[in-house]
């Protein structure tokens, strides 16, 4: 499903963010990426949605080799995976409805389907009454749920998230984690970089730890393993 | 692209125009101002062109025959004129015909000239037309040396000056038009740029969700097109209204025989269409340019 073989990533400034990465993630898994700041977690995430290209090695996502992916094929990849970020990345001028609908418009869904799907996911994340608001009128937790709704609206098999609870207070973080768990229980693979010891230790999922650009630990039902 | 996606782009383009409010009005204002100036210049240059062309095609040498020349001599002169190298046609106009022409061209005032009908003071005339307009001067000189010639007239200076003026006007006009168009494009792309301060972030987000460059660009294309078309409405109204006024009212009072404007129909319509097209190009170009930079990477 997701396969990385001998992946290296060196940025143009000479910083090596990932070296010798080998991972195999099966459909339906929930994986945490943990590690100290600057270890290479975000880089790992960026490689998966082809924000960055590996310097060497192979990355297979559903049989697409990202190392050989052409620029014009990137949109096709991104339509198959949902992405969620710490800063939500919502379009500020569009309503909540329009933000979510955007992900369906790019795949040229008919209007009627778009309406139905968007209302369904808004229901799922509990924000049906906010459809007409714009992002700045929502709390951080609500905005994050909108971005999750957008990530899953076209039913991707994979959702990747880079510190999705990084900007949220503990209670809100737990709500967000609950939403991710629901999505995962429907069979969607979830890969999440996080600094939250509490969440990782409570949820008991697979944990991949990256330190200084290398994978140092990869365990099922792992622990966070760092003091904060 | 599916039809519904095209409709989606049109919808989003219109929506952006409405949501951008004042910026939209500023952009339309920039297009409008430019197009008004452009259309005035175009009308001027094209008409001058036409006038010059008319005169060029219309350079005739009027040869007045000395009073008291006998009929045979007049006929002989006619033959002589026809035999000059480079002459296309020679038309005879008797003094009576000349007088009638004068009376007709004077309108009301002409009536006083009717008194002369009994005792015509005018000369017989030959109208000589050169095959090539440039030969006019040479032929006129040659005619001057013939016998029984009273006067040889042709619009040498008028023609020369008009040609020269027209060339200047054309160069200056076109330079101004180009400068104006680029200013407008610049203004529009700037206004549109301002409408989204963090445009690069927004485009990044769109790409994150799987939008292709084309998908991102289309609404901007539509928005620019609409800005251009909306901006051309007032200039087109001015072209149609102004030209209609010029064509009907002003021309009557000027009444130079050689000044004949391009006819309102189809010229004013063609000019309007051209203004619309230029507006659309300015709008689209300005708008697509404003996001071009962010679509790379
Ligand atoms: N675009 C870039 N250009 C150059 N170097 C980069 C770039 N992005 C990241 N790096 C470097 O690569 C290394 C790994 O960065 P990365 O963002 O992957 O770390 P991280 O594990 O996500 O850290 P954090 O927990 O603070 O988010 C760091 O040394 C960073 O400075
Ligand atoms: Mg990071």
């Amino acid at each position: 499903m997701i396969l990385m073989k001998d992946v290296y990533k060196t940025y143009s400034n000479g910083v090596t963010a990932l070296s010798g990465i080998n991972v195999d993630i099966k459909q339906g898994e929930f994986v945490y990426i943990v590690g100290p700041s600057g270890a290479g977690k975000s880089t790992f995430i960026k490689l998966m949605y082809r924000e960055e290209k590996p310097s060497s090695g192979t990355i297979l996502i559903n049989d697409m080799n990202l190392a050989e992916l052409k620029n014009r094929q990137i949109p096709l990849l991104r339509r198959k995976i949902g992405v969620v970020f710490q800063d939500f990345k919502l379009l500020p001028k569009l309503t909540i409805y329009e933000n979510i609908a955007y992900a369906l418009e790019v795949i040229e869904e008919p209007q009627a389907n778009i309406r139905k799907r968007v209302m369904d996911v808004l229901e799922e994340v509990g924000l049906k009454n906010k459809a007409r608001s714009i992002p700045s009128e929502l709390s951080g937790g609500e905005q994050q749920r909108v971005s999750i709704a957008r990530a899953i609206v076209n039913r991707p098999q994979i959702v990747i998230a880079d510190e999705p609870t990084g900007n949220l207070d503990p209670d809100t973080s737990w709500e967000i984690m609950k939403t991710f768990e629901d999505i995962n229980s429907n069979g969607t693979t979830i890969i999440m970089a996080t600094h939250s010891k509490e969440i990782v230790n409570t949820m008991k999922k697979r944990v991949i730890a990256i330190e200084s650009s290398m994978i140092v630990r990869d365990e099922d039902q792992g622990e966070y393993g760092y003091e904060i | 692209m599916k039809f519904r996606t095209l409709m989606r782009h049109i919808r989003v383009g219109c929506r952006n125009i409405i949501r951008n409010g004042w910026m939209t009005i500023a952009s339309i204002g920039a297009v409008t101002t430019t197009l008004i100036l452009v259309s005035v210049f175009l009308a001027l240059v094209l008409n001058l062109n036409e006038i010059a062309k008319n005169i060029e095609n219309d350079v005739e040498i009027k040869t007045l025959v000395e009073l008291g020349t006998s009929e045979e001599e007049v006929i002989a002169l006619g033959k002589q004129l026809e035999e000059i190298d480079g002459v296309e046609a020679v038309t005879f106009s008797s003094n009576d015909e000349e007088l009638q022409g004068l009376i007709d061209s004077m309108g009301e005032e002409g009536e006083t000239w009717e008194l002369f009908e009994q005792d015509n003071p005018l000369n017989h005339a030959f109208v000589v037309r050169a095959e090539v307009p440039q030969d006019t001067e040479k032929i006129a000189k040659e005619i001057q040396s013939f016998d029984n010639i009273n006067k040889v007239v042709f619009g040498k200076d008028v023609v020369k000056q008009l040609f020269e003026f027209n060339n200047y006007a054309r160069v200056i006009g076109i330079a101004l038009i180009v400068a104006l168009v680029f200013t407008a494009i610049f203004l529009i792309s700037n206004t549109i740029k301002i409408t989204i301060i963090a445009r690069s972030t927004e485009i990044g987000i769109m790409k994150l969700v799987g939008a292709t460059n084309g998908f991102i660009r289309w609404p901007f294309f539509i928005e620019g097109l609409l800005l251009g078309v909306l901006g051309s409405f007032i200039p087109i109204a001015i072209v149609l209204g102004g030209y209609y006024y010029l064509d009907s009212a002003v021309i009557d009072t000027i009444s130079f025989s050689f000044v004949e404007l391009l006819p309102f129909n189809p010229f004013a319509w063609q000019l309007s269409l051209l203004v619309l097209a230029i507006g659309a190009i300015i709008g689209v170009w300005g708008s697509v340019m404003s996001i071009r930079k962010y679509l790379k990477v």
Side-chain angles (χ1 to χ4, degrees):
Chain A
M1 156 106 247
I2 299 176
L3 193 72
M4 294 201 189
K5 253 179 85 182
D6 296 325
V7 171
Y8 286 79
K9 173 65 190 178
T10 303
Y11 284 107
S12 53
N13 63 356
V15 175
T16 297
L18 291 175
S19 40
I21 300 296
N22 284 290
V23 273
D24 183 359
I25 297 169
K26 302 265 180 312
Q27 178 65 45
E29 275 195 279
F30 198 130
V31 183
Y32 287 114
I33 313 292
V34 301
S37 185
K41 304 181 294 296
S42 292
T43 305
F44 183 91
I45 298 280
K46 282 176 183 166
L47 286 178
M48 279 190 292
Y49 65 93
R50 193 41 178 75
E51 177 76 15
E52 295 291 346
K53 217 176 175 161
S55 306
S56 67
T58 314
I59 304 176
L60 289 176
I61 293 187
N62 290 340
D63 297 328
M64 258 188 279
N65 185 352
L66 303 204
E68 287 166 7
L69 202 68
K70 304 220 168 44
N71 276 349
R72 62 180 161 75
Q73 296 173 309
I74 294 174
L76 303 179
L77 167 74
R78 296 194 178 162
R79 292 167 191 180
K80 292 207 169 74
I81 53 184
V83 286
V84 177
F85 297 91
Q86 182 170 2
D87 57 358
F88 323 133
K89 297 207 190 296
L90 299 175
L91 293 163
K93 293 238 192 73
L94 301 193
T95 64
I96 299 314
Y97 177 91
E98 288 163 349
N99 260 285
I100 300 173
Y102 199 96
L104 293 175
E105 288 170 354
V106 298
I107 54 172
E108 309 200 46
E109 280 285 310
Q111 275 302 310
N113 293 9
I114 292 180
R115 261 211 95 65
K116 184 167 185 320
R117 267 308 285 166
V118 173
M119 287 332 251
D120 283 354
V121 283
L122 275 175
E123 174 102 74
E124 219 173 302
V125 298
L127 287 174
K128 215 168 177 174
N129 56 338
K130 301 285 189 185
R132 287 168 173 281
S133 308
I134 58 167
S136 59
E137 296 166 347
L138 267 56
S139 73
E142 287 169 334
Q143 289 187 53
Q144 192 58 296
R145 277 187 281 161
V146 173
S147 95
I148 294 171
R150 180 182 63 188
I152 61 169
V153 73
N154 58 2
R155 299 188 176 92
Q157 292 182 309
I158 305 166
V159 171
I160 54 186
D162 195 353
E163 299 188 43
T165 59
N167 275 343
L168 306 174
D169 62 65
D171 285 351
T172 317
S173 296
W174 278 113
E175 279 173 35
I176 295 296
M177 291 315 299
K178 177 87 186 51
T179 312
F180 275 111
E181 231 182 358
D182 288 345
I183 297 166
N184 177 242
S185 67
N186 295 334
T188 307
T189 309
I190 294 186
I191 299 159
M192 183 185 297
T194 184
H195 278 292
S196 171
K197 178 183 180 183
E198 200 191 349
I199 288 172
V200 176
N201 289 348
T202 312
M203 304 266 284
K204 291 271 176 268
K205 307 285 189 189
R206 179 173 170 187
V207 174
I208 296 177
I210 301 178
E211 280 177 40
S212 324
S213 83
M214 284 179 287
I215 293 183
V216 293
R217 178 157 58 94
D218 182 350
E219 356 172 89
D220 293 336
Q221 304 195 346
E223 293 273 328
Y224 183 68
Y226 302 95
E227 289 312 312
I228 309 299
Chain B
M1 183 170 59
K2 290 186 176 143
F3 177 70
R4 61 169 167 264
T5 306
L6 178 64
M7 294 314 287
R8 179 262 174 202
H9 292 319
I10 292 173
R11 218 170 45 239
V12 171
C14 294
R15 188 183 70 198
N16 290 348
I17 283 212
I18 293 165
R19 284 190 189 170
N20 291 340
W22 283 107
M23 285 307 169
T24 295
I25 291 172
S27 300
I28 292 177
V31 181
T32 301
T33 325
T34 311
L35 288 181
I36 289 175
L37 295 170
V38 165
S39 55
V40 169
F41 276 116
L42 275 178
L44 204 72
V45 169
L46 291 174
N47 268 299
L48 282 174
N49 222 9
E50 174 71 8
I51 290 168
K53 212 166 68 193
N54 281 340
I55 291 174
E56 193 177 0
N57 289 336
D58 213 43
V59 197
E60 301 172 331
I61 304 161
K62 196 154 188 183
T63 308
L64 300 184
V65 182
E66 197 71 73
L67 287 174
T69 309
S70 74
E71 202 166 315
E72 293 87 68
E73 282 170 325
V74 171
I75 293 170
L77 180 59
K79 288 240 170 68
Q80 211 180 348
L81 290 174
E82 273 170 16
E83 278 159 14
I84 300 173
D85 262 356
V87 166
E88 186 183 65
V90 177
T91 330
F92 179 68
S93 170
S94 72
N95 57 354
D96 291 339
E97 286 167 324
E98 287 290 288
L99 182 61
Q100 195 54 50
L102 196 59
I103 292 169
D104 289 347
S105 72
M106 302 289 278
E108 299 268 302
E109 283 168 60
E111 280 167 23
T112 54
W113 288 86
E114 283 170 17
L115 299 173
F116 290 103
E117 268 173 19
Q118 301 311 311
D119 183 17
N120 191 338
L122 296 181
N123 313 57
H124 294 301
F126 284 101
V127 177
V128 180
R129 175 188 281 277
E131 270 167 15
V132 194
Q134 281 78 353
D135 286 347
T136 309
E137 195 166 353
K138 199 188 84 205
I139 294 169
K141 281 216 176 96
E142 192 170 344
I143 296 173
Q144 216 124 36
S145 66
F146 293 173
D147 289 336
N148 300 319
I149 301 292
N150 172 268
K151 207 175 181 189
V152 178
V153 191
F154 74 101
K156 178 169 108 187
D157 292 345
V158 185
V159 174
K160 246 195 190 142
Q161 281 170 11
L162 246 156
F163 273 134
E164 271 168 19
F165 176 64
N166 186 40
N167 278 339
Y168 284 127
R170 213 181 315 198
V171 171
I172 294 170
I174 288 172
L176 271 168
I177 288 171
V178 170
L180 283 168
V181 166
F182 276 99
T183 313
I185 289 175
F186 176 75
L187 281 174
I188 292 173
S189 59
N190 259 315
T191 355
I192 290 184
K193 246 183 239 172
I194 300 166
T195 55
I196 300 178
I197 297 159
R199 175 137 303 177
S200 72
T201 322
E202 292 196 19
I203 289 178
I205 295 172
M206 293 170 184
K207 288 187 164 188
L208 220 47
V209 189
T212 56
N213 282 349
F215 190 89
I216 296 170
R217 204 183 285 120
W218 262 98
F220 287 102
F221 177 86
I222 302 279
E223 185 180 342
L225 189 69
L226 280 171
L227 289 177
V229 168
L230 289 174
S232 67
F233 282 177
I234 294 175
I236 285 177
I238 290 176
V239 164
L240 292 178
Y243 205 79
Y244 184 76
Y245 173 75
L246 259 180
D247 201 36
S248 55
V250 177
I251 292 318
D252 287 347
T253 58
I254 298 180
S255 79
F256 283 122
S257 61
F258 61 85
V259 174
E260 210 168 295
L261 292 189
L262 290 156
F264 180 85
N265 190 7
F267 175 69
W269 297 109
Q270 287 167 346
L271 185 58
S272 302
L273 212 64
L274 187 63
V275 166
L276 186 73
I278 295 175
I281 290 169
I282 292 176
V284 167
W285 195 349
S287 146
V288 171
M289 281 242 302
S290 71
I291 55 159
R292 209 180 53 136
K293 181 171 100 204
Y294 305 119
L295 284 177
K296 289 185 186 149
V297 176

